[in-house]
Amino acid sequence: MGKCPKCGAYNSFKEEVVQPRFKDGSRTIPGLSGRSIPRRIGEVGGDVDERLPMSMAEFARVLGGGIVPGSVILVGGDPGIGKSTLLLQMAMAMASKSSPINNPVLYVSGEESERQIKMRGARLLSLNSVHLDDPNQDLSGSDFPEDLFLVTETNLDSIFEHVQEVKPQLLIVDSIQTTYIPEKESSAGSVSQVRESASRLRELAKTSGITVFIIGHVTKEGAIAGPMVLEHIVDTVLYLEGDRYQSYRLLRSVKNRFGATAEVGVFEMRERGLVEVSNPSEAFLAERMVNASGSAIAVTMEGTRPLLVEIQGLTSPTSFGNPRRTPNGIDFNRLLLTVAVLTRRVGLRLADQDVFVNVVGGLKISEPAADLAVAVAIASSVKDQPLRADTVLIGEVGLNGELRAVGQMNARLREAAKLGFKAAIVPRRLRFGEPWPEDIEIIETRSLRNALKIGLLSGSKNEGG
Ligand code: TYD
Ligand code: MG
């Protein structure tokens, strides 16, 4: 009301939300009838390791083996990267007849109409007869999973009503930026709406055992109203990354209360949705040019999985004053440091060269084990000498130009051997632990300078192809 009917004052009304109460005074959760009751630890139900198995093995791997009932999972990523596609695919798989769950899956979208989602679903199901641009096309078909419900809704109260009606086992909210709580004044997507909506969804999950997947967009401006404010509210944070213009997508867990973090699942975006890549190293190396200068193979650990990736370096004379250093897939400061070490400790002339480094396949490498490959790729480009094609490089480069040991060496070496690499240049081992794997030649060395001497094929210029 604008005017108070009693005293006549304008704008004197303040909104206050009244929570329904039980007789004993305990508060209910909006949209839910559950009440909290303290229980003895031994009496709390549910096996600790109870998980719903998934048919998408790469997704399951990132979650730590499957879906934990009652957990809240945030899937973040740039707009257009494939979050909706991934979760619709998961929803269809989990709602299909062969799936282990008996209750429905509810997919709530604030971004697309039910029909749009259905068309996407048809595309994923590879219904060849469907013409996606024909709006009058009849999409009714028996191929769609019986137990998948779609609704376009942004009002969180209505979403909770739908949840009570459908009683799903999995709830997908696409996206948190479009959902809003009507009694809050701020607009959808604002920090307080995002945070409050997520908290209520968490309460829903914890009291009902429904697993909630929340999609969140990462904004270029540093994700202020995006997943960052949510990370501590949810149990698991997954990021879907990759280059929009390339087909590989990496699903990475950055927080997981129920599994290892930094676990990575690899997918490829195809015409008919995301396809799992079960042997990513092979895929990342597929387009490599053997014997080209400026290319080196690193072995990086993504969670528990070793991945072989090609690192490309390119140097070219600077045309105006300041030489540029442009990394793609590695950290900028790490590149500066590597260039400084190559200049001072190896004696390469880089002061008048622009340096570009690219990690092939859109992967982002954060661990220092790739330092050696980065340094060698740059050196190989400056000298225009290719690297031994059958060799991988593993090691951190220190400020003195020394090579430093990195963890999980044997897992890395075994993966390299499995893919047919014959040799590995690694930091000299000072402490002896597990013996080296036998099916790959190990070349231990202490300095970057020496690694270059061993690795670069001298004299052979630009024979590659
Ligand atoms: P989408 O899941 O809508 O992204 P997000 O929800 O993260 O914003 O993905 C959109 C992109 O994926 C779009 O550019 C089209 C592409 N795509 C495919 O290449 N193949 C497919 O089968 C589907 C469904 C989408
Ligand atoms: Mg989307």
Side-chain angles (χ1 to χ4, degrees), residues 78-85 120 123-124 269-273:
D78 294 335
I81 200 79
K83 301 179 295 298
S84 305
T85 306
R120 187 197 296 258
R123 186 169 166 180
L124 298 177
M269 182 63 95
R270 296 244 185 102
E271 208 43 30
R272 306 207 177 280

Side-chain angles (χ1 to χ4, degrees), residues 85-139:
T85 306
L86 176 70
L87 288 187
L88 183 63
Q89 233 173 297
M90 190 273 300
M92 297 217 299
M94 294 305 286
S96 72
K97 283 194 194 74
S98 55
S99 110
I101 65 171
N102 305 318
N103 295 336
V105 177
L106 177 60
Y107 190 107
V108 183
S109 179
E111 310 206 328
E112 288 155 310
S113 70
E114 287 137 31
R115 191 180 169 82
Q116 275 175 308
I117 304 169
K118 180 167 187 182
M119 287 170 88
R120 187 197 296 258
R123 186 169 166 180
L124 298 177
L125 281 175
S126 312
L127 298 180
N128 289 319
S129 58
V130 172
H131 298 290
L132 294 169
D133 3 289
D134 178 3
N136 299 320
Q137 171 114 0
D138 180 20
L139 289 176

